[in-house]
Amino acid sequence: MTDERDTVVTALARSLERSHRRLGELETLVRQLAADVTSLSRSRPAPGDALTGAGDDGREPAGGGWLLAEDREAALTGMADLVEWVEAVYLRYPDAELPSCWLWHPAVVEELWWLRGAHAAAYEDSAGSWQRIGDWHDRFRPGVVKRLRAAVGGCELVLHAPGGEQAGAPSLAPLADAAANVADAWTTRRLLPEPSDPQLAAAEQHDRAQHRKANR
C-alpha cells in the first residue's frame, strides 16, 4: 500500500513540475509578445507625421514618400539625407548606376527614397533583423537597380532641356474625365459604363503615343 501511495505521489510531483515548467514558458512567451507589441507601437508612424520628421524615438516615419511631398522644409532635409545615403550606401555597389539627370526623374527619387527607408528599417537596432537585412540585399536593392536601369539607363540631363525628349509637362492619367462615371457605375451597379465614341478616340490617340514612345 505504501509503494502504491509513493507511486501516486511521485506521479503527482512530476505532473506539478511539468505544469510549473509550462507556466514559466508561457510567462516568457507573454513577456516576449508584450515587448514585440511595444516595439511595433513605437515604430509605427503616427497619422499626420511630416514627410521625414523623426518620431519621439528618433526613427523616421514613411510619410507620403517623395511623390506626395508637400512640406518644403521636410523635403529639403529629406533630399539632403537621400543624397548623403546614395553616396554612402547605394553607389558603393558595383552594379548601381545613376544617370546625371536622376534628380529630374521623380520616379527615380521615389525608388531611392523607399530603398533608403527599407535599409534604415532593416538595420534599426530594436526592429531590424538579419532576415530583413537579407531581404534588402537579395531583393530590394537589386530590384531597384534593375528598374532604374530599365527606366532611365540611357537618359541624360540634356534631354530635360527645352526641346528635349524629357521636357514638357508631366504625363496625365488617360481619360481622367471618365473617372467619375466609372466610380458611380461601379459603386451603384457593380458594372462599368460603356466607353463613348470620344473616349474611344482619345484612347486610340493615347495608345498610339505610348506605342511610339516604347519603340524609340
Side-chain angles (χ1 to χ4, degrees):
M1 191 66 177
T2 301
D3 292 341
E4 183 178 351
R5 186 183 299 111
D6 291 343
T7 301
V8 172
V9 171
T10 301
L12 289 174
R14 290 176 178 174
S15 178
L16 183 60
E17 182 181 356
R18 287 195 298 269
S19 298
H20 280 300
R21 185 169 59 253
R22 291 173 181 172
L23 182 60
E25 294 173 353
L26 181 60
E27 290 177 349
T28 300
L29 178 60
V30 170
R31 286 195 297 269
Q32 182 62 48
L33 289 174
D36 291 343
V37 170
T38 300
S39 176
L40 288 173
S41 64
R42 289 177 177 175
S43 63
R44 181 179 180 179
D49 277 341
L51 178 67
T52 58
D56 294 337
D57 57 359
R59 299 183 67 236
E60 293 182 357
W66 176 248
L67 295 179
L68 297 178
E70 295 181 350
D71 188 312
R72 179 179 178 276
E73 295 302 322
L76 290 173
T77 302
M79 183 60 78
D81 292 341
L82 179 64
V83 170
E84 181 179 352
W85 179 85
V86 165
E87 293 177 348
V89 178
Y90 185 75
L91 292 178
R92 295 289 182 175
Y93 292 86
D95 60 341
E97 300 174 358
L98 281 180
S100 59
C101 56
W102 72 278
L103 288 170
W104 277 257
H105 290 273
V108 172
V109 176
E110 180 75 6
E111 288 271 14
L112 294 172
W113 196 283
W114 81 257
L115 185 64
R116 171 181 172 269
H119 182 268
Y123 283 91
E124 205 273 328
D125 289 339
S126 61
S129 67
W130 288 112
Q131 180 178 357
R132 297 178 71 173
I133 292 172
D135 283 341
W136 191 89
H137 283 275
D138 290 340
R139 298 193 297 118
F140 298 160
R141 192 197 68 81
V144 169
V145 170
K146 181 179 179 180
R147 288 193 297 274
L148 295 192
R149 183 178 294 122
V152 297
C155 195
E156 53 188 5
L157 189 58
V158 69
L159 298 179
H160 293 262
E165 294 180 1
Q166 297 290 342
S171 300
L172 301 177
L175 278 73
D177 56 352
N181 289 337
V182 170
D184 177 68
W186 183 252
T187 55
T188 57
R189 303 186 299 276
R190 279 295 184 269
L191 296 173
L192 294 176
E194 295 184 0
S196 64
D197 290 339
Q199 289 173 342
L200 290 172
E204 182 178 3
Q205 183 179 3
H206 170 78
D207 294 342
R208 286 181 178 177
Q210 290 290 100
H211 181 72
R212 288 195 298 271
K213 182 178 178 180
N215 287 277
R216 285 178 182 175

